[in-house]
């Protein structure tokens, strides 16, 4: 049953990616919405779950928050290192700001997060059918945002369309894989919380330092800001329904 429900997440992820691909003539609106969706996912979904699962204090600070900051710093460090390496190979200033490997790495992290979504579906169905349906609905709803963001991030960093589509299909298949894995193993809650905290920090870096500045660079329009607010509001709605 969990694997069957995860197929809904598979389809919703593809719909999200298809939407991002079809509205390229309004790129600033796509990026504004993607930034809002990412900010909402981090602040309203990932971080609360991470704190609940890995809230044990380490020298006065919850472990999840330490990893959250670590994820932000690692994302920044990786991007700077790759940009410096690209500059050493003669890339111009515009090219240095868009390192394809960063986009692929971020998309791969999204795929990993989607695997955990599938694990959450499987674990919830082990608790009970009602719990499984509630978690499944939440996952299916926000996998639209996952597909949208996966395609947008991969494309934004200069990767070819085929690579963006490949990462989109990987992200779509990930919840099915995660749900199937719960038939064989169980991930410790502490480890899951640590992962969510780290991933949330990296995702916030991409939203705040890359996606939103790019959205407002050429089109500092009110409509772009409204798309960002709408993205956050959508995730808030999804989280509220899941609760």
């Amino acid at each position: 049953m969990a694997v069957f429900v995860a197929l809904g997440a598979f389809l919703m992820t593809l719909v999200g990616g298809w939407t991002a691909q079809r509205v390229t003539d309004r790129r600033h609106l796509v990026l504004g919405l993607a930034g809002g969706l990412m900010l909402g996912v981090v602040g309203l979904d990932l971080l609360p779950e991470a704190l609940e699962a890995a809230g044990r204090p380490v020298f006065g600070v919850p472990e999840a928050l330490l990893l959250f900051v670590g994820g932000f710093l690692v994302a920044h460090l990786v991007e700077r290192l790759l940009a410096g390496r690209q500059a050493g190979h003669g890339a111009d200033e515009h090219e240095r700001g868009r390192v394809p490997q960063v986009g692929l790495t971020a998309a791969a992290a999204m795929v990993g997060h989607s695997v955990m979504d599938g694990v959450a579906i499987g674990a919830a169905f082990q608790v009970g059918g009602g719990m499984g349906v509630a978690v499944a609905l939440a996952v299916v709803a926000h996998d639209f945002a996952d597909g949208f963001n996966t395609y947008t991030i991969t494309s934004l960093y200069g990767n070819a369309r085929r690579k963006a589509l490949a990462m989109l299909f990987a992200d779509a298949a990930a919840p099915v894989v995660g749900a199937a894995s719960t038939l064989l193993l169980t991930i410790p809650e502490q480890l899951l919380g640590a992962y969510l905290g780290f991933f949330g920090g990296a995702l916030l870096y991409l939203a705040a330092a890359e996606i939103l500045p790019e959205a407002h660079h050429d089109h500092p329009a009110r409509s772009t800001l409204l798309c960002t607010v709408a993205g956050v509001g959508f995730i808030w709605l999804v989280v509220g329904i899941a609760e």
Side-chain angles (χ1 to χ4, degrees):
M1 182 62 181
V3 175
F4 178 76
V5 171
L7 291 174
F10 173 87
L11 294 175
M12 189 60 75
T13 302
L14 293 181
V15 170
W18 178 84
T19 302
Q21 185 180 179
R22 295 292 294 178
V23 293
T24 51
D25 57 326
R26 292 287 185 268
R27 185 169 178 269
H28 59 292
L29 298 180
V30 172
L31 293 175
L33 180 60
L37 290 171
M38 292 165 71
L39 178 59
V41 167
V42 171
L44 307 178
D45 187 15
L46 293 182
L47 197 52
E49 287 187 24
L51 285 170
E52 184 176 347
R56 181 185 61 185
V58 178
F59 204 63
V61 179
E63 179 184 356
L65 286 183
L66 287 175
L67 287 164
F68 177 79
V69 174
F72 188 99
L73 293 176
V74 167
H76 176 59
L77 178 63
V78 168
E79 185 187 39
R80 290 300 89 207
L81 288 175
L82 290 174
R85 183 171 145 196
Q86 193 177 43
H89 285 79
D92 61 32
E93 185 175 350
H94 177 73
E95 290 173 334
R96 290 174 211 165
R98 291 289 170 263
V99 185
Q101 293 94 325
V102 172
L104 290 175
T105 301
M110 295 292 291
V111 173
H113 172 58
S114 293
V115 171
M116 295 303 175
D117 281 346
V119 170
I121 292 174
F125 270 102
Q126 290 179 5
V127 173
M131 175 69 73
V133 170
V135 171
L137 287 175
V139 169
V140 169
H142 96 252
D143 270 1
F144 174 87
D146 284 354
F148 189 98
N149 289 335
T150 298
Y151 186 88
T152 301
I153 291 172
T154 309
S155 301
L156 177 64
Y157 281 83
N159 290 285
R161 181 172 177 270
R162 60 180 178 81
K163 289 186 178 180
L165 288 174
M167 296 307 299
L168 174 63
F169 275 97
D171 189 47
V176 181
V177 174
S181 72
T182 59
L183 302 175
L184 304 173
L185 55 89
T186 301
I187 297 178
E189 185 180 24
Q190 187 78 13
L191 180 60
L192 180 59
Y195 164 77
L196 291 176
F198 185 85
F199 174 61
L203 201 61
L204 179 64
Y205 175 81
L206 292 174
E210 299 294 333
I211 304 295
L212 291 177
E214 180 71 13
H216 292 277
H217 178 65
D218 294 324
H219 298 275
R222 186 177 301 173
S223 57
T224 306
L225 178 60
L226 289 175
C227 283
T228 302
V229 174
V232 175
F234 173 75
I235 298 300
W236 187 11
L237 178 64
V238 169
V239 171
I241 291 174
E243 293 295 328

